[in-house]
Amino acid sequence: MVDTERLRKGVNSAVSQCTTLAELSTVQVDFLGKKGIITQEMKELGNYPPEQRKEIGAVLNDLHDEIELIIKAKREALEQSELEQRLAKERVDVTLSSRPEDRGHFHLLTQISEELLTYFKAMGFKVMSGPELDTDFNNFEALNIPKHHPARQEQDTFYISGAPDRLLRTHTSTIQIRTLSNHDVPIRAVSTGAVFRNDAVDATHSPIFHQMEIFVVEPGITTAHLKHCLLGFLGFLFKMDLVAMDNNNEPMPVRMRPSFFPFTEPSIEVDVCCSRKDGELKLDLEGDWLEILGCGMIHPNVFQNCGLSTFRDGTPVRGFAAGVGIERIAMLRYGITDIRHFYAGDMQWLNHYGKL
Ligand code: DAH
């Protein structure tokens, strides 16, 4: 005879020990599977005499159904508790405030370059660019910088070994040569980019820094246009109406000094007078004079080297040019005292000065 009581106990104890659905499946296979205990018992029915077969068969069928119910109840209980555990684990507190988003941003120098380009673009300047690795001709020769000029000495310029004509540009004035040699005049152009000099590194010198170059080549251009253009630009930079002040004949915290560049005649340097109050640098009539840019009327030799002699109306080609250090502008504007900060890759510094 089948010991139903023993089987029932066996099922109950096996099921009660199950803590996961996977374990319960194993128990189900052990009892009800193809090779399970109940199935084996069913197969043995043939060994019993016919009158017992019916009775035992009925008992086994009932036991099969009963085991199924026990397993089903346990499965439901396990599913419920697994769901509860998951809900507890994945609980979302919708009342919590969100985490701050960590957003990237452009480097301060990129932001200022873009700002300067936008200013000049609005006045019809074309944005030009050129390679950092350029020729001796574009960087020196065409800019009327003769072979013996100190700027050509090896301690200033990075030359490329094995390529005697190649160098890392020492200024963005190369863009004047590239543009004037390849574009029609009249033209107004602006360009920003990295320049390289073999300087010792200190708080105000770095072997790589950035410049902006602007130039206007149009009939009738004079130093008066140059002055007006640069005053407007400096006023924009320092949020001050320098042009209007000049028209009113008032004193200005800006001065233009005669200077020398081989590629301009006359050559001028522009200083701004700044005071530092509450850690902020401001254009101020009482303060220190700081050189901010070089400029002048483009030298006739430069035009000649670019193959230009006259405008289409037959008048001699003429124009002005200016070059500005972008780090210098950023340092003045934000009171940054060490140029090395720009390239150190310190995230705290970059985030502070990049999100102003
Ligand atoms: N190229 C000069 C430098 O690197 C800056 C400069 C001065 C650019 C006068 C100009 C200019 O276009 O007219 O220091």
Side-chain angles (χ1 to χ4, degrees):
M1 261 312 264
V2 182
D3 188 346
T4 48
E5 209 39 50
R6 193 180 59 82
L7 277 175
R8 193 175 282 118
K9 266 198 191 145
V11 170
N12 275 322
S13 109
V15 165
S16 67
Q17 280 169 34
C18 291
T19 53
T20 65
L21 288 167
E23 284 169 16
L24 189 63
S25 293
T26 313
V27 171
Q28 184 174 16
V29 171
D30 287 349
F31 284 90
L32 306 179
K34 268 191 199 146
K35 290 178 183 160
I37 295 167
I38 301 296
T39 323
Q40 289 303 329
E41 294 283 357
M42 293 276 202
K43 278 183 188 158
E44 275 164 33
L45 275 179
N47 300 334
Y48 292 96
E51 61 282 8
Q52 273 188 15
R53 234 180 264 167
K54 211 175 154 194
E55 193 191 329
I56 298 174
V59 168
L60 283 175
N61 272 337
D62 286 350
L63 194 59
H64 184 279
D65 292 349
E66 195 183 329
I67 294 174
E68 254 183 1
L69 283 177
I70 293 172
I71 290 177
K72 184 169 174 244
K74 180 71 175 184
R75 175 172 299 117
E76 283 169 7
L78 283 177
E79 279 172 356
Q80 183 61 30
S81 83
E82 276 186 17
L83 180 66
E84 276 163 16
Q85 276 174 27
R86 240 185 88 193
L87 285 175
K89 205 166 87 193
E90 295 175 9
R91 188 181 197 89
V92 175
D93 184 350
V94 291
T95 64
L96 279 180
S97 50
S98 60
R99 291 197 188 99
E101 227 177 294
D102 200 8
R103 289 246 216 124
H105 59 86
F106 285 113
H107 192 281
L108 176 61
L109 291 174
T110 310
Q111 292 184 34
I112 293 185
S113 300
E114 285 300 320
E115 187 183 333
L116 301 183
L117 291 178
T118 306
Y119 175 81
F120 283 103
K121 266 195 281 188
M123 291 189 298
F125 283 65
K126 268 204 172 98
V127 177
M128 297 307 216
S129 64
E132 291 168 358
L133 183 67
D134 213 326
T135 59
D136 181 279
F137 181 79
N138 287 339
N139 195 82
F140 291 131
E141 199 70 44
L143 283 159
N144 200 32
I145 303 177
K147 285 267 187 282
H148 59 265
H149 194 279
R152 278 182 166 239
Q153 282 171 14
E154 293 229 10
Q155 66 259 36
D156 284 330
T157 309
F158 287 110
Y159 288 96
I160 305 301
S161 57
D165 185 42
R166 302 279 150 169
L167 45 79
L168 291 177
R169 67 178 176 195
T170 60
H171 51 185
T172 45
S173 301
T174 51
I175 304 296
Q176 286 185 47
I177 303 307
R178 290 180 159 272
T179 307
L180 295 177
S181 306
N182 295 304
H183 288 77
D184 270 351
V185 287
I187 192 165
R188 299 176 184 188
V190 59
S191 184
T192 58
V195 300
F196 307 84
R197 288 188 200 174
N198 199 355
D199 275 331
V201 183
D202 64 23
T204 52
H205 293 90
S206 157
I208 173 171
F209 58 102
H210 298 78
Q211 285 189 335
M212 176 182 69
E213 192 83 9
I214 61 166
F215 51 96
V216 173
V217 178
E218 285 174 19
I221 282 288
T222 68
T223 45
H225 298 108
L226 166 61
K227 186 178 175 188
H228 182 86
C229 175
L230 293 181
L231 287 184
F233 163 62
L234 292 174
F236 160 78
L237 258 192
F238 291 96
K239 316 247 179 302
M240 202 171 182
D241 195 356
L242 293 172
V243 178
M245 279 181 72
D246 187 40
N247 291 343
N248 296 339
N249 256 345
E250 285 180 40
M252 287 202 298
V254 176
R255 71 181 180 194
M256 299 178 114
R257 278 183 292 110
S259 183
F260 172 78
F261 299 107
F263 36 90
T264 43
E265 183 57 39
S267 299
I268 300 161
E269 274 181 320
V270 179
D271 300 332
V272 289
C273 193
C274 298
S275 68
R276 254 173 236 271
K277 274 180 202 147
D278 308 323
E280 223 185 300
L281 206 76
K282 275 210 181 112
L283 277 205
D284 200 328
L285 286 167
E286 274 152 42
D288 298 321
W289 288 104
L290 294 166
E291 183 204 321
I292 186 153
L293 60 86
C295 57
M297 300 305 289
I298 298 175
H299 197 289
N301 288 356
V302 173
F303 286 128
Q304 198 180 10
N305 292 334
C306 297
L308 292 173
S309 56
T310 57
F311 290 110
R312 240 173 275 154
D313 65 4
T315 57
V317 71
R318 56 191 294 131
F320 68 75
V324 193
I326 295 178
E327 280 84 347
R328 173 53 73 90
I329 289 174
M331 290 169 85
L332 278 175
R333 228 207 216 171
Y334 299 114
I336 298 166
T337 49
D338 195 324
I339 196 170
R340 288 167 291 198
H341 286 309
F342 288 103
Y343 325 107
D346 175 345
M347 284 311 291
Q348 211 176 349
W349 189 93
L350 290 171
N351 282 333
H352 176 72
Y353 284 103
K355 290 182 178 166
L356 294 169

